Amino acid sequence: MRKNSTRRIALSTVAVLTSGALLAAVAPTAMAADRTQERAAAVAAAEEVPPLTAEQRQFIEDGMGPEAMAELEKAMSQGSSGSVQPRAFPIAAAAIAAAAWCAKGALGSIPTSVLSDIAAGKASSKKTYVRSAIIGCIGGEIGGVVWKFLPGWVKDKAVNMVIAFIIKYIR
């Protein structure tokens, strides 16, 4: 009986040590490969977003309205403490267009009619999903802190403009 217990403990110890050695040898290489794949995916995603045309910019600016555009650009250029923040997008329209390209994958299975209804304020079982996907993309483009401090009416206009941009230019 003691022989079997000792043998099991010995085999378990060998298995643990072998697993640990393999993990120590393979993990750095696997993690480096994962980081490389993540970087390649980010570069590929950045390359997929076409530049904003003058027509698209005008469409967004008209849909948002001058007050909402000014509020969004002000929030993007200033932090919550009032200090000027450097932004990747100098204009709010570019951030909305980029958010639309970001959200297109998550909203690919949602019919255009449902997106139109949500933008029009009609009830839909998909409303929470659509808004969450868009807000996640907008927050990634303009910054989560910026999104947090925007007035509700600007947030609603931004979400609706992302939907309108997807319908008009992406689908």
Side-chain angles (χ1 to χ4, degrees):
M1 181 93 160
R2 280 190 175 194
K3 253 185 181 176
N4 285 339
S5 297
T6 306
R7 180 179 271 166
R8 284 185 193 154
I9 292 171
L11 288 174
S12 297
T13 304
V14 168
V16 167
L17 291 174
T18 305
S19 298
L22 285 172
L23 184 61
V26 175
T29 307
M31 290 177 70
D34 285 346
R35 280 188 236 117
T36 303
Q37 288 174 344
E38 288 173 8
R39 276 189 236 120
V43 169
E47 291 173 357
E48 289 179 16
V49 178
L52 188 65
T53 66
E55 175 192 348
Q56 292 170 338
R57 181 178 174 177
Q58 191 64 44
F59 174 75
I60 292 170
E61 290 174 353
D62 291 345
M64 288 286 290
E67 299 87 15
M69 289 299 289
E71 190 74 33
L72 189 54
E73 288 180 6
K74 178 179 140 191
M76 287 173 59
S77 66
Q78 293 183 347
S80 58
S81 63
S83 61
V84 175
Q85 301 290 320
R87 293 300 313 153
F89 298 108
I91 55 170
I96 290 184
W101 282 99
C102 167
K104 78 174 183 153
L107 304 179
S109 64
I110 307 293
T112 302
S113 60
V114 172
L115 292 177
S116 296
D117 288 347
I118 292 170
K122 296 180 182 175
S124 170
S125 63
K126 305 277 186 199
K127 184 174 184 173
T128 302
Y129 173 78
V130 169
R131 288 185 59 84
S132 294
I134 292 171
I135 289 169
C137 288
I138 292 175
E141 298 301 333
I142 67 171
V145 174
V146 172
W147 180 258
K148 183 178 178 180
F149 290 107
L150 283 174
W153 66 274
V154 176
K155 291 177 182 179
D156 290 340
K157 281 193 166 229
V159 168
N160 290 341
M161 275 315 305
V162 169
I163 292 172
F165 192 89
I166 289 171
I167 291 170
K168 183 165 181 158
Y169 293 105
I170 298 177
R171 288 203 167 177

